[in-house]
Amino acid sequence: LQQSFSRFAPAEVVEEIISQGVSTTPERKEVTVLFADIKGFTSMSEDLDPAVLVKILNGYFRRMSHAITEQRGHVSKFIGDGILALFGALEPNPWQSRDAVQAALGMRRGLAVYNAELAAEGLPTLAIGIGVHRGTVVAGVIGSDQLMEYTVIGATVNLASRVEGLTRKHDVEVLVTDAVRAHLDERFQLR
């Protein structure tokens, strides 16, 4: 049962709920939020067979989730074709911004490999935008008595989403805020 539920929530949250019950005490945390979205997905979804569309999307989510968890992040939720990922939310992580940017770069690499597979099958390839922002959020188990999830809320989340949207305006795949840049070292070259 625990293994099954860890598919719906981070394993750490499932373990805490099992040991202590559902915590009703939200907390403020400094986290790094990563938003990713497939560019042009709505028009693609209107043209493809539903089974093919879901196959493409599930393959995309699998690869992107791997890139995120590989860098100590966790996927909070899938929102349509979007991904909300958190770094430093489940446990303190002084390298959370670096990990989030490394995850974004890993997502780009993973997408390049996946696009080659899609093209080989004669399927449309994908382009993504990734926005990364760091700040204070309210984190906790949020929802109703019928559906709950561990997530974060606040202006930091909203700003990360808007930064992802700006990737289209600036014609880039990854865009980070100054709050993230301030926590990166010289190994990262930004423009």
Side-chain angles (χ1 to χ4, degrees):
L1 186 61
Q2 183 175 357
Q3 187 176 13
S4 294
F5 275 113
S6 68
R7 291 182 67 198
F8 297 95
E12 296 91 330
V13 174
V14 173
E15 289 172 16
E16 186 176 331
I17 289 171
I18 290 170
S19 67
Q20 301 175 11
V22 176
S23 171
T24 57
T25 308
E27 52 187 323
R28 290 194 187 281
K29 293 183 174 187
E30 184 167 340
V31 301
T32 302
V33 178
L34 180 152
F35 255 103
D37 195 52
I38 299 173
K39 297 176 181 179
F41 183 76
T42 302
S43 60
M44 179 191 299
S45 67
E46 294 170 356
D47 297 334
L48 286 176
D49 175 84
V52 173
L53 180 69
V54 170
K55 176 186 170 194
I56 291 171
L57 198 55
N58 286 343
Y60 164 76
F61 284 148
R62 183 173 49 256
R63 286 158 178 83
M64 298 305 104
S65 296
H66 177 73
I68 291 163
T69 57
E70 199 171 60
Q71 297 298 327
R72 292 185 292 276
H74 83 271
V75 175
S76 175
K77 64 179 82 177
F78 299 120
I79 308 163
D81 61 301
I83 300 172
L84 168 61
L86 307 173
F87 296 80
L90 296 175
E91 57 190 35
N93 178 355
W95 306 281
Q96 60 180 272
S97 291
R98 183 201 65 195
D99 290 347
V101 173
Q102 289 284 34
L105 297 174
M107 291 167 74
R108 282 179 25 176
R109 288 188 300 273
L111 184 62
V113 171
Y114 187 44
N115 276 338
E117 294 171 13
L118 290 172
E121 292 181 42
L123 296 171
T125 58
L126 307 175
I128 58 172
I130 302 170
V132 186
H133 179 55
R134 179 177 177 147
T136 303
V137 299
V138 173
V141 178
I142 299 171
S144 70
D145 56 352
Q146 296 174 341
L147 180 63
M148 303 184 99
E149 64 182 354
Y150 179 85
T151 192
V152 296
I153 55 174
T156 296
V157 180
N158 296 338
L159 185 55
S161 175
R162 289 187 176 99
V163 169
E164 181 280 316
L166 288 172
T167 61
R168 289 153 181 79
K169 178 180 179 182
H170 296 287
D171 195 28
V172 295
E173 288 179 306
V174 180
L175 192 59
V176 303
T177 63
D178 281 338
V180 171
R181 185 180 64 167
H183 290 88
L184 300 178
D185 58 45
E186 67 281 349
R187 289 176 292 175
F188 294 92
Q189 295 183 5
L190 293 94
R191 64 175 172 85

